Amino acid sequence: MREMPTSGGFVGRALSWLVPFLVVSAAYLYTFPQANIFYAGVVLLHAVGGVLAAILLIPTFVRLIRTGSVSSRVGWLLIAIGAVFGLILIKTGTPRTEWNKLYLHIVISLAGVGLLIASRLRARESSDPAPLGSRLAVGAIWAVACLAALAGLGYGARYIRQSWQTRNRIENPAMPPDNMNGEGDGPEGAFFPSSAQVYGKQKIPSKFFMESDSCKRCHEDIYNQWFSSAHHFSSFNNQWYRKSVEYMQDTIGTKPSKWCGGCHDPAVLYAGLMDTPIKQIVHRPEAQAGLGCMMCHSIANVKSTMGQADFYLEYPKLHELAATQNPVARALHDFLIKLNPEPHRRVFLKPFMRDQTAEFCSSCHKVHLDVPVNNYRWFRGFNEYDNWQASGVSGQGARSFYYPPKPQQCADCHMPAEASKDQGNINGFVHSHRFPAANTAVPTANEDAPQLKLTEDFLKNGALTVDIFALSPAQAALKPGAAAQSELSTTFAVGEEAESKMTAETGGEAAPITAPLNRVQPALRRGDTVRVDVVVRTKKVGHFFPGGTVDAYDTWLELKGTDDKGQTIFWSGMVEDNGHGPVEKGAHFYRSLQIDAHGNPINKRNAWATRAVVYVRLIPPGAADTVHYRMAIPENAGSKITLHARLCYRKFAWYGTQEAFAGLPDPSKPNSVAPDYDDRPTLFTASLSGVSAKEEKIPDLPIVAIAEDEVTLPVVARNAPASEPKMIVRKEEWQRWNDYGIGLFLQGDLKGAAAAFQKVTEADPNNPDGWVNIGRCAVQEGDMARARTVLEKALALEPNLARSNFFYAKVLRADGNYDGAAARLRTVLAQYPRDRVALNDLGRVLFLQRKYDEAVKVLQSVLMIDPEDLQAHYDLMLCYNGLGDEKLAREHQARYMRFKADEASQAITGPYRQLHPEDNNERQAVHEHVSVNLAKIAPKHGGRAAPSASSGQALRQAQGKLPPARTGKARTAPVATSVGASR
């Protein structure tokens, strides 16, 4: 190209060098974006060269388009147009909003270069005169050939450019470690027992995680959103978290606390500061930094979905230039990023952050504990990922009760689109970095009203519903049920990611009910005792409700009955101290209740001391819970009773907040604590000076009514005829019956559930859901003949429905028809290839057929989805034994024994349950709740209480009532509470 005719002289020689340089540099910049000094230098030189070329073109442009061939003249015209676009881009930069101009600049300029090359090649081929038509034809051929060649090179460059998106995908290992020492850098690692690693095993300066304001220059909207978020207040600027780590370090040392630091305290942990007791550095900026921009966005690789901060961090080479205080260097950095943001995007927005959002989030929103943390064994802490992955919300679960219109990932709910002109916007929107979820505590302590309102609105946006659904005589015998076998093997809960095995009472018939109450409105007789059933349903929740650290929350269902005289005749779920104290102990809670080795409840965020689970009750996504209340109708009740149900949520239990801000272990019993227990009473006498909150006071956390329902029923005289059971079934209300049945099914009340699902088939015989769910009940009962009948009806309606085929496979397997069962399961897996229970079932069927090699392949695919899948390790152990491979059989046996529950630990719960009858009641799969003793609460809560015929539970006596907000140092009159006073 240097020989192509230009205007001659200096300008011609300069252009003959500049144009090839711009072509080569553009090819490099487009094809190989990299965050290094060399690449940045080429970006700058390309811009400078483009400006020079544009300047040189101005005086010679007219001559260039008047001389030479047609191809040459058109080529220079296109280059000039491309130069104009290039100058505009130097001004505007190349963010997403300018991509149209960027690609016009590239395509037009390349087309111009292609035509100049074609002109030169044609000139070299022959200088003999020829007819005009012939010359034009030959020139056109050369032009097309050159443009086609450049198009091919461009396609190749784009392929290379896009290939980085297939790298660093989140994939699970074929075999997880058999103990925690195999995770992360191991016991000798600087960050262990966190699984986090840094490339090069280096430490990262604290300031790297503390300079989020450097991002604000280009991403101001995102920065302002983050500033109020729970991520910003994840560390020791959060009093609840701060107190838990201080207590942890006081009890078991600093090293185990690194288990928390991998996700909560990057500026402390990765700089090597967490070996220092946090009390000594808690007010340093590093301890107050929280999760800044660089924490999430510097994750270069996520190693698995086993959580526990199982990722690699990378310290970007150019970070110091981005965060420099030198105005010239900072301006140059920002100019280069604006001009070509692709390297910046590749460093801070990896493809898995966008395409594998849930897997990315699992790195911190799924945890387990093991010997280095708890000096005990492996058990699950909390887990948002697995139950999402196995549910209908993810689109990967085959057996869900409900499915959303389209699959959803974490960011769809927790990073919704928010209007913004931020430089990172897409079509005028960015993903919100307020991360709306359920943390009402932090904005309350920070007095951040906008963030609190956002959180409360998020909680109340229809994610759950409450339905006061059914009524039945209290004399009807309760159906005994049993918790799923897997439920007590974790401090969290098990949903569709593992197959439940219930041992339920199958005899007898379902008790007659009257429902729905708002349709039937049965009369209540004075002096009668009735059972009221309330259904709580998860609708727009992609994981268990509640999620997160469910041992710490107050989440409960309140049912209150008042008559038209203003009398309170029933109240379950009352909050003491006029709605500001603990929740009464007999309420229906959604939580995990854990105890330590001495039977003390885990109520100080001391998960490492957990040795047994008393009960765990959470609602899976797209499922329901049916709650039973025994209500006595007083003789002096009015003519109407209004029942009001509220699903209530308080981010931290009352006790937890008091302990976090003012809790102090009783110093008179210093030897009553060990790593696995703490027998010391808690004194609420600690100074509030320096607490991590806007004011030095104990915050009064709001109680949010997530969902509510109300129904009013007439009251009649004692001698009036009893209302006969009545059920109204409408096609448009089939889901209400389905929800009621789901709640009963998950409790093990299979007869009651089947009766409810039968109503679904009556509402709409052509809806397969009713038939499938009756089949679920029959399979669970072992009534395979009944299951076959109803499942065949479902299959007749929709032959490829995955859940029908899944349960029908169980019928065939029970018949010994393994080939038929395997065929049905393959039908399921063709639609849902990542359903782990279906894969495990297929692997088991193949094992029973002694097709060990095929079974191994299927079961290994389960571990690629979840390396900790207990059932897969067990079946692989059996398969390898069948194959005679003792080594691999022992490997999977070791993992099975690691992840299996310590069943003997349940013995610890016996004495606790004897001392806490309300918790023992709550532990039962099917149980009833009664009213608090209304006679004792009327003076405190105002209004009147009707005398109750119920044997209501006595209200808890407060062990010390704190005054409202207090400031300064310790109170003169100490208030003590026993270690068991968690509510």
Side-chain angles (χ1 to χ4, degrees):
M1 285 183 62
R2 286 168 47 196
E3 299 178 18
M4 67 178 62
T6 62
S7 61
F10 170 76
V11 172
R13 289 193 300 273
L15 285 174
S16 69
W17 283 98
L18 280 173
V19 172
F21 168 75
L22 292 172
V23 171
V24 173
S25 63
Y28 167 71
L29 294 175
Y30 180 80
T31 310
F32 305 105
Q34 300 169 68
N36 55 43
I37 294 294
F38 178 77
Y39 186 91
V42 175
V43 171
L44 188 60
L45 288 173
H46 184 83
V48 172
V51 172
L52 289 175
I55 293 172
L56 292 174
L57 271 175
I58 293 173
T60 60
F61 179 69
V62 174
R63 179 183 299 178
L64 289 172
I65 62 171
R66 284 183 175 178
T67 61
S69 65
V70 173
S71 297
S72 174
R73 285 179 281 177
V74 174
W76 283 114
L77 177 62
L78 292 176
I79 286 176
I81 295 172
V84 172
F85 278 111
L87 294 173
I88 293 171
L89 291 171
I90 290 175
K91 171 66 175 175
T92 64
T94 59
R96 187 181 296 268
T97 54
E98 303 297 328
W99 277 7
N100 288 338
K101 295 186 185 71
L102 173 64
Y103 281 101
L104 282 172
H105 167 67
I106 294 172
V107 171
I108 291 172
S109 298
L110 278 179
V113 169
L115 292 175
L116 290 179
I117 294 172
S119 175
R120 180 60 189 158
L121 291 174
R122 169 70 184 119
R124 282 187 172 185
E125 182 183 73
S126 173
S127 57
D128 296 334
L132 178 62
S134 175
R135 281 183 289 154
L136 288 175
V138 172
I141 292 171
W142 276 110
V144 170
C146 289
L147 291 175
L150 285 175
L153 291 173
Y155 178 82
R158 182 169 179 79
Y159 177 82
I160 295 171
R161 178 185 174 91
Q162 297 297 326
S163 65
W164 81 287
Q165 298 198 35
T166 63
R167 304 172 198 159
N168 293 334
R169 284 191 60 81
I170 301 173
E171 296 180 351
N172 283 311
M175 184 78 77
D178 62 357
N179 63 74
M180 201 174 203
N181 291 341
E183 298 172 4
D185 286 327
E188 304 306 316
F191 315 128
F192 185 82
S194 168
S195 295
Q197 295 174 272
V198 176
Y199 282 125
K201 293 190 175 182
Q202 61 180 323
K203 291 185 172 64
I204 299 177
S206 293
K207 66 177 183 178
F208 174 67
F209 299 105
M210 299 165 60
E211 294 172 327
S212 295
D213 57 345
S214 65
C215 304
K216 184 180 180 180
R217 303 198 301 268
C218 295
H219 303 289
E220 184 172 4
D221 287 347
I222 288 175
Y223 173 87
N224 290 335
Q225 294 161 6
W226 162 84
F227 194 84
S228 291
S229 73
H231 278 193
H232 182 197
F233 295 94
S234 70
S235 191
F236 304 107
N237 52 1
N238 176 328
Q239 181 63 26
W240 289 271
Y241 175 76
R242 169 185 165 181
K243 185 61 174 285
S244 70
V245 174
E246 289 175 349
Y247 173 65
M248 183 181 195
Q249 292 185 344
D250 288 345
T251 307
I252 58 174
T254 58
K255 188 173 180 64
S257 69
K258 296 180 182 181
W259 172 74
C260 309
C263 285
H264 281 269
D265 315 302
V268 179
L269 177 67
Y270 299 114
L273 297 177
M274 212 154 184
D275 291 311
T276 303
I278 200 62
K279 286 182 177 179
Q280 298 178 20
I281 60 172
V282 71
H283 294 297
R284 283 174 51 170
E286 298 94 328
Q288 299 290 310
L291 287 178
C293 306
M294 297 303 175
M295 176 58 206
C296 294
H297 288 282
S298 66
I299 293 175
N301 182 31
V302 177
K303 297 174 285 179
S304 76
T305 61
M306 290 187 287
Q308 206 75 9
D310 197 17
F311 48 65
Y312 271 105
L313 291 174
E314 186 173 40
Y315 184 56
K317 298 180 178 67
L318 298 183
H319 167 71
E320 292 185 9
L321 179 60
T324 181
Q325 298 301 311
N326 184 300
V328 175
R330 174 180 285 193
L332 179 62
H333 170 273
D334 291 356
F335 171 74
L336 292 174
I337 292 295
K338 185 178 179 181
L339 189 59
N340 188 344
E342 183 64 19
H344 179 79
R345 183 169 74 96
R346 293 194 176 200
V347 170
F348 294 113
L349 189 63
K350 301 291 192 300
F352 58 73
M353 297 177 184
R354 181 184 64 249
D355 301 331
Q356 293 179 285
T357 309
E359 287 74 14
F360 176 51
C361 296
S362 78
S363 60
C364 280
H365 290 269
K366 178 180 176 182
V367 302
H368 59 268
L369 297 84
D370 211 330
V371 176
V373 179
N374 62 10
N375 198 33
Y376 174 44
R377 56 166 294 132
W378 186 96
F379 67 78
R380 173 67 63 213
F382 72 91
N383 183 357
E384 308 290 30
Y385 174 75
D386 285 344
N387 54 90
W388 166 85
Q389 186 275 323
S391 75
V393 178
S394 70
Q396 300 176 37
R399 298 156 292 107
S400 294
F401 293 106
Y402 295 108
Y403 290 81
K406 63 178 182 178
Q408 293 181 303
Q409 297 204 51
C410 308
D412 293 319
C413 292
H414 298 293
M415 297 184 72
E418 190 168 320
S420 171
K421 294 182 180 179
D422 189 284
Q423 289 196 30
N425 82 82
I426 300 176
N427 299 323
F429 290 90
V430 296
H431 285 291
S432 175
H433 283 61
R434 288 183 180 272
F435 306 105
N439 195 325
T440 56
V442 164
T444 299
N446 293 341
E447 299 181 11
D448 186 343
Q451 182 73 10
L452 179 60
K453 184 179 185 304
L454 177 87
T455 305
E456 291 182 338
D457 289 347
F458 179 82
L459 287 167
K460 295 188 287 188
N461 73 347
L464 293 100
T465 59
V466 171
D467 186 2
I468 304 174
F469 184 73
L471 189 78
S472 59
Q475 291 78 6
L478 285 174
K479 298 292 183 183
Q485 291 179 10
S486 55
E487 274 190 10
L488 300 181
S489 65
T490 170
T491 64
F492 200 59
V494 175
E496 293 171 281
E497 71 272 18
E499 186 175 358
S500 295
K501 299 178 178 64
M502 299 175 185
T503 304
E505 177 62 51
T506 59
E509 298 299 326
I513 63 170
T514 295
L517 292 186
N518 67 319
R519 300 293 182 199
V520 180
Q521 294 190 323
L524 302 172
R525 288 196 309 181
R526 295 183 180 91
D528 279 0
T529 300
V530 297
R531 188 175 85 167
V532 179
D533 292 340
V534 182
V535 180
V536 181
R537 155 92 183 273
T538 50
K539 282 197 167 182
K540 294 191 290 183
V541 181
H543 46 71
F544 278 116
F545 172 82
T549 52
V550 292
D551 59 309
Y553 309 155
D554 270 343
T555 309
W556 74 101
L557 185 65
E558 176 191 71
L559 181 66
K560 187 175 183 180
T562 56
D563 67 8
D564 51 356
K565 296 179 182 179
Q567 299 180 117
T568 299
I569 64 101
F570 182 91
W571 200 350
S572 173
M574 182 204 73
V575 180
E576 297 177 26
D577 195 15
N578 285 319
H580 301 284
V583 183
E584 59 101 354
K585 294 192 293 184
H588 186 80
F589 288 98
Y590 296 102
R591 64 175 176 186
S592 172
L593 177 56
Q594 308 157 33
I595 57 176
D596 67 21
H598 283 191
N600 302 304
I602 300 299
N603 53 17
K604 294 184 283 293
R605 306 297 300 112
N606 49 328
W608 67 87
T610 296
R611 292 298 179 268
V613 178
V614 178
Y615 70 83
V616 56
R617 176 169 294 101
L618 308 174
I619 309 177
D625 181 40
T626 299
V627 189
H628 312 293
Y629 295 93
R630 181 178 288 260
M631 182 175 68
I633 312 303
E635 293 287 357
N636 68 337
S639 60
K640 293 181 180 179
I641 291 177
T642 297
L643 297 176
H644 190 97
R646 297 194 309 159
L647 180 61
C648 301
Y649 171 83
R650 181 163 55 186
K651 170 61 181 176
F652 290 110
W654 176 89
Y655 179 94
T657 296
Q658 308 303 314
E659 198 278 334
F661 280 77
L664 182 69
D666 188 344
S668 68
K669 298 185 178 181
N671 298 320
S672 300
V673 60
D676 61 342
Y677 68 87
D678 188 348
D679 294 337
R680 300 170 297 176
T682 297
L683 307 178
F684 292 152
T685 59
S687 170
L688 292 172
S689 178
V691 294
S692 296
K694 188 169 184 178
E695 294 187 31
E696 293 179 340
K697 67 178 184 180
I698 301 175
D700 183 14
L701 299 189
I703 293 173
V704 180
I706 296 176
E708 302 180 66
D709 190 35
E710 185 173 281
V711 64
T712 299
L713 303 177
V715 177
V716 297
R718 171 191 282 270
N719 57 5
S723 298
E724 293 296 322
K726 181 180 179 181
M727 290 171 276
I728 296 177
V729 179
R730 297 182 177 182
K731 183 176 182 179
E732 64 273 16
E733 292 187 334
W734 72 270
Q735 286 191 17
R736 296 182 70 186
W737 286 99
N738 202 44
D739 296 344
Y740 181 62
I742 292 168
L744 297 176
F745 173 79
L746 294 177
Q747 294 170 6
D749 183 1
L750 302 180
K751 291 295 186 185
F757 294 141
Q758 184 66 41
K759 296 300 176 185
V760 176
T761 67
E762 294 174 15
D764 185 1
N766 294 320
N767 181 350
D769 282 291
W771 303 112
V772 172
N773 290 340
I774 296 172
R776 291 180 196 251
C777 296
V779 167
Q780 202 71 59
E781 286 185 297
D783 186 352
M784 295 303 175
R786 173 66 171 156
R788 181 190 302 275
T789 300
V790 294
L791 290 172
E792 285 178 350
K793 290 183 179 180
L795 289 166
L797 293 170
E798 198 168 333
N800 290 320
L801 188 64
R803 48 193 182 273
S804 302
N805 281 279
F806 174 83
F807 292 108
Y808 199 66
K810 289 187 174 295
V811 174
L812 297 176
R813 175 175 155 183
D815 289 344
N817 184 355
Y818 296 148
D819 287 336
R824 293 287 179 176
L825 289 169
R826 288 191 172 98
T827 298
V828 174
L829 293 168
Q831 301 169 64
Y832 297 95
R834 287 173 58 84
D835 187 295
R836 285 188 278 134
V837 174
L839 287 167
N840 273 322
D841 274 14
L842 178 58
R844 184 71 176 179
V845 168
L846 293 170
F847 166 77
L848 293 172
Q849 293 179 297
R850 299 189 178 185
K851 297 179 180 179
Y852 301 130
D853 287 326
E854 290 183 50
V856 165
K857 291 179 182 178
V858 171
L859 295 169
Q860 285 175 338
S861 69
V862 176
L863 298 184
M864 296 307 294
I865 302 168
D866 178 18
E868 298 164 318
D869 190 287
L870 188 68
Q871 188 65 49
H873 284 295
Y874 179 78
D875 286 339
L876 281 165
M877 174 186 71
L878 298 180
C879 289
Y880 282 118
N881 276 328
L883 290 167
D885 191 333
E886 295 182 5
K887 180 178 182 297
L888 282 174
R890 285 195 298 270
E891 292 282 350
H892 287 286
Q893 181 182 17
R895 275 71 181 173
Y896 174 74
M897 295 306 297
R898 182 188 182 198
F899 302 135
K900 185 178 183 294
D902 178 10
E903 295 172 358
S905 70
Q906 281 299 298
I908 302 172
T909 70
Y912 177 88
R913 289 185 284 122
Q914 288 180 333
L915 293 171
H916 300 83
E918 297 91 354
D919 292 332
N920 186 52
N921 181 61
E922 193 74 350
R923 174 185 168 97
Q924 309 311 309
V926 182
H927 61 274
E928 291 180 336
H929 297 271
V930 296
S931 177
V932 297
N933 190 328
L934 298 172
K936 292 187 177 182
I937 68 168
K940 295 183 180 181
H941 288 263
R944 294 177 295 162
S948 175
S950 166
S951 57
Q953 302 169 31
L955 182 64
R956 173 182 179 271
Q957 293 295 322
Q959 295 177 332
K961 185 176 179 183
L962 295 175
R966 60 185 178 86
T967 61
K969 297 186 179 179
R971 184 192 304 109
T972 56
V975 177
T977 178
S978 72
V979 72
S982 62
R983 296 171 295 286

